[in-house]
Amino acid sequence: PEEDGPLPGMRQQRFARGRILWHPAKGASILIGDIGRAYDTATVQQREQLGAIVAGEDAARVAVFDGGSITWAPGRKAAIHV
C-alpha cells in the first residue's frame, strides 16, 4: 500500500526488492538494489540533504536527487554524495 514518504510531501510504495518514491513536482522514480539499501540506511540529515529524487537508478548505476546522488559500481558499496 502507498504510504507517506521519507520526506514531507513525498509518497512511497515498498516492494520486496525496492520502492517507488513519488514527489508532486518530480514524479515517480524507482530505488532498488544497493542504491535502494543505501537510501534506506541513510541518516535523516543525509536524506534531507539529498532532497527529492529526480531520477531513479539508470544504466550508469546512479540515482539523482535535488541535492546529490547515490552511486554504485560492481565490487563497491553504494555511496551517497551530497
Side-chain angles (χ1 to χ4, degrees):
E2 186 178 310
E3 58 190 36
D4 287 338
L7 297 174
M10 292 177 72
R11 302 289 294 165
Q12 69 180 356
Q13 188 164 359
R14 295 175 184 264
F15 298 90
R17 295 184 182 193
R19 71 168 88 181
I20 296 173
L21 291 173
W22 178 85
H23 185 275
K26 309 293 181 187
S29 295
I30 297 171
L31 287 179
I32 58 172
D34 286 346
I35 288 178
R37 284 187 286 283
Y39 188 82
D40 287 342
T41 59
T43 66
V44 171
Q45 181 181 4
Q46 287 173 315
R47 287 185 186 177
E48 288 174 349
Q49 290 173 323
L50 283 169
I53 190 165
V54 175
E57 183 176 344
D58 62 15
R61 307 233 166 78
V62 176
V64 179
F65 296 79
D66 280 334
S69 63
I70 302 175
T71 60
W72 177 85
R76 302 170 73 189
K77 287 185 175 182
I80 296 173
H81 309 276
V82 291

